[in-house]
Amino acid sequence: MSQITVTPKSKLPVAIIGAGPVGLAAAAHLVARGESFLLFDAGHEVGSNVLIWSHVRLFSPWEYNIDKAARELLISHGWVAPNNSDIPTGLEMVEKYFKPLASLPEIKPFIHLNSKVVAVNRKGLDKVKTNGRDDLPFVIHVEQNGDRMLFEAKAVIDASGTWTNPNPIISEGVWTAEEQLFSKQIFYGIPEVLGKHKSRYSGRKVLVVGSGHSAINTLLELGELKEEVQATEILWVLRKPKLRDVYGGQEQDQLAARGALGTRIQELVESGKVKVLTPFFIQGFRKNEDKIQVIGTLNNERVQLDAIDEIISNTGSRPDFAFLREIRVISDPSLESTLALAPLIDPNVHSCGTVRPHGEKELRQPEKDFYIVGSKSYGRAPTFLMATGYEQVRSVVAALVGDHEAASKVELQLPETGVCSTQNGVSCCGTEVKETPVTHTKVVSSCCSSGTIPVASKSSCCS
């Protein structure tokens, strides 16, 4: 009679979901700790989500975009790092960093591409059962080329991101039949306006929706297109009450490229090449022959935008929890972020582009040894940076191997954006704004980085 071999839970690998920057960083940290892992990604190559916006140049230089453990592992194999001060495009991130890292012998054999995780559960239990739960391994249900495969793991790190789950354009956040009707005329993300999508937008009336860096990149390229084809008409709708808030810290931003985005979009708006409607709340759509009518409110008055040819939606993304239905996960009810992060990143309170250092402790879920990291840990909040995710997985991996001292020593240095809202002398981070009698500028004890940072009057340090 044959015997069934059961692998002890402690000998099982750690499962990582998502082969983007944070998932690959998690793999590098596990390698550094001598831990086995399996890395699953639905795409056909690593960084597949980044390749969707491969033409876009980041606002942060390589210094902030390469994980420390990944860098050390790469260098040990003779890799030559890019110049720290150079600013990569999405394609350069994949070609110069992700692919070399994924090709290393310590990592390549354990990557499963074209592998969509469709469910995660505890072996033999649904989420209702509690007794003995923590002692059981996880089961990862994966669809590979049409087949369902099962893998066991002692821990799970979900770094699947949010990019492929865009928010709808309707201000209420609900997908409607009307919006889906115009799917061929709506682009969710950052199109290659000056590249492969040029003919789609050239000479057309284009509506851009959103107020973040994605929208700014889209608008700047449309502005260049209008220089070539004057008939191109650009409309920009956003919900922020003050357009000034979109411009960011500009020259006060510690990332020059990020600050320059604000300066350039301000110049484009002031040139008159972009018609701005704010605060504008989209309520619905109508079809008029091959054109789109957009119905909404502007300053609480009903407005109809006629004869729109194309819409570009840059309204952010949301996390997908569908495959985690049998895992005990808690998210913030408004942001859908990891619960403990919500007070630090809530855009209703903070204008900050950074967040206090956080790690394994803040990322814990009721399900032991299950973590959501990266942009997905931020839910719908828009302020995530790769460097934040790298520190998250360093701390999580340290905890998984029992190095709780290293897990608790979380350090994160992010460049300030130079903008933070203030009310009655208190910044959005809850710190008091104090006048310094010597310089007559304001100094805020920063909740986003150590020390104090002098900033211009009416500004604060936190964003």
Side-chain angles (χ1 to χ4, degrees):
M1 182 176 178
S2 61
Q3 292 183 335
I4 299 176
T5 303
V6 178
T7 304
K9 180 186 172 185
S10 61
K11 301 296 183 182
L12 291 172
V14 175
I16 306 169
I17 306 172
V22 179
L24 288 168
H29 282 277
L30 287 165
V31 169
R33 293 283 189 167
E35 285 289 327
S36 61
F37 68 91
L38 295 172
L39 175 56
F40 303 99
D41 195 277
H44 66 281
E45 59 184 312
V46 296
S48 57
N49 286 349
V50 174
L51 288 173
I52 296 173
W53 48 270
S54 61
H55 61 293
V56 178
R57 191 168 297 280
L58 283 71
F59 52 66
S60 54
W62 281 108
E63 175 186 359
Y64 296 102
N65 295 323
I66 300 177
D67 173 73
K68 292 179 181 179
R71 180 188 290 270
E72 292 176 3
L73 186 59
L74 281 162
I75 290 175
S76 72
H77 286 273
W79 176 74
V80 178
N83 190 310
N84 262 353
S85 61
D86 289 347
I87 301 176
T89 62
L91 180 61
E92 289 170 338
M93 284 287 295
V94 173
E95 296 294 331
K96 296 184 178 182
Y97 174 38
F98 298 172
K99 285 186 176 179
L101 179 60
S103 298
L104 298 181
E106 296 94 335
I107 292 181
K108 184 177 180 179
F110 312 107
I111 296 180
H112 296 261
L113 299 173
N114 298 306
S115 301
K116 183 178 180 179
V117 175
V118 295
V120 181
N121 66 279
R122 288 286 188 178
K123 188 174 183 178
L125 297 183
D126 63 18
K127 73 188 303 178
V128 177
K129 302 297 189 294
T130 299
N131 190 34
R133 186 176 192 87
D134 293 349
D135 299 325
L136 294 171
F138 293 93
V139 179
I140 319 298
H141 299 246
V142 180
E143 286 187 357
Q144 291 183 338
N145 303 315
D147 296 326
R148 176 72 70 95
M149 303 183 69
L150 304 181
F151 299 84
E152 292 188 10
K154 64 181 178 182
V156 178
I157 300 174
D158 181 359
S160 57
T162 62
W163 186 260
T164 56
N165 300 289
N167 291 321
I169 299 174
I170 297 290
S171 294
E172 287 87 350
V174 176
W175 288 102
T176 63
E178 290 78 14
E179 181 168 345
Q180 294 170 333
L181 176 67
F182 294 107
S183 60
K184 292 183 179 180
Q185 291 168 273
I186 301 177
F187 191 101
Y188 298 90
I190 311 174
E192 291 189 51
V193 172
L194 301 176
K196 66 181 181 181
H197 298 125
K198 188 173 184 178
S199 61
R200 178 170 177 172
Y201 301 109
S202 182
R204 313 298 292 278
K205 187 174 182 178
V206 185
L207 176 69
V208 178
V209 186
S211 60
H213 292 109
S214 295
I216 291 174
N217 274 296
T218 298
L219 288 159
L220 290 174
E221 288 210 344
L222 284 170
E224 291 186 46
L225 179 62
K226 187 173 177 62
E227 291 283 345
E228 297 180 31
V229 185
Q230 288 295 315
T232 306
E233 190 174 350
I234 312 169
L235 280 71
W236 183 16
V237 301
L238 57 158
R239 291 183 288 182
K240 287 186 179 294
K242 297 179 182 178
L243 188 58
R244 175 65 194 153
D245 292 342
V246 180
Y247 298 152
Q250 298 181 326
E251 69 277 357
Q252 294 181 36
D253 197 315
Q254 292 181 359
L255 284 180
R258 183 170 59 189
L261 284 176
T263 301
R264 291 175 62 199
I265 193 63
Q266 182 177 5
E267 291 172 350
L268 181 64
V269 169
E270 292 175 352
S271 73
K273 295 174 183 176
V274 177
K275 181 179 180 180
V276 181
L277 299 167
T278 189
F280 192 99
F281 295 83
I282 295 178
Q283 297 177 334
F285 307 92
R286 290 199 191 104
K287 188 174 181 63
N288 185 1
E289 297 180 349
D290 62 340
K291 308 289 186 179
I292 307 172
Q293 291 180 330
V294 178
I295 297 94
T297 60
L298 177 64
N299 294 318
N300 296 319
E301 293 186 6
R302 183 179 173 85
V303 175
Q304 180 174 297
L305 307 178
D306 295 320
I308 304 296
D309 293 302
E310 294 280 348
I311 298 176
I312 301 173
S313 176
N314 295 136
T315 56
S317 303
R318 56 183 60 178
D320 176 15
F321 294 112
F323 65 93
L324 303 179
R325 183 148 193 180
E326 295 306 321
I327 293 295
R328 296 178 174 182
V329 172
I330 294 179
S331 63
D332 179 74
S334 57
L335 299 184
E336 296 184 349
S337 67
T338 299
L339 191 61
L341 293 186
L344 308 179
I345 60 177
D346 188 345
N348 295 295
V349 179
H350 299 277
S351 66
C352 296
T354 64
V355 64
R356 285 196 297 271
H358 61 275
E360 184 271 340
K361 180 180 178 181
E362 291 80 7
L363 297 170
R364 288 176 196 165
Q365 291 287 346
E367 196 74 66
K368 188 177 184 296
D369 296 331
F370 179 88
Y371 297 93
I372 295 174
V373 300
S375 60
K376 187 172 181 176
S377 71
Y378 271 43
R380 301 193 193 189
T383 52
F384 177 77
L385 294 173
M386 272 185 276
T388 303
Y390 296 158
E391 183 61 11
Q392 286 179 340
V393 294
R394 183 208 61 77
S395 176
V396 165
V397 169
L400 288 176
V401 300
D403 189 349
H404 299 292
E405 182 179 359
S408 64
K409 290 182 178 179
V410 182
E411 297 178 356
L412 184 64
Q413 293 184 348
L414 296 175
E416 305 288 354
T417 65
V419 176
C420 189
S421 60
T422 59
Q423 292 184 352
N424 301 321
V426 178
S427 78
C428 68
C429 299
T431 52
E432 183 181 356
V433 179
K434 298 179 180 180
E435 295 286 350
T436 59
V438 178
T439 63
H440 300 290
T441 59
K442 294 186 177 181
V443 176
V444 181
S445 179
S446 173
C447 67
C448 306
S449 62
S450 60
T452 57
I453 301 177
V455 292
S457 181
K458 297 184 181 179
S459 297
S460 181
C461 65
C462 300
S463 181

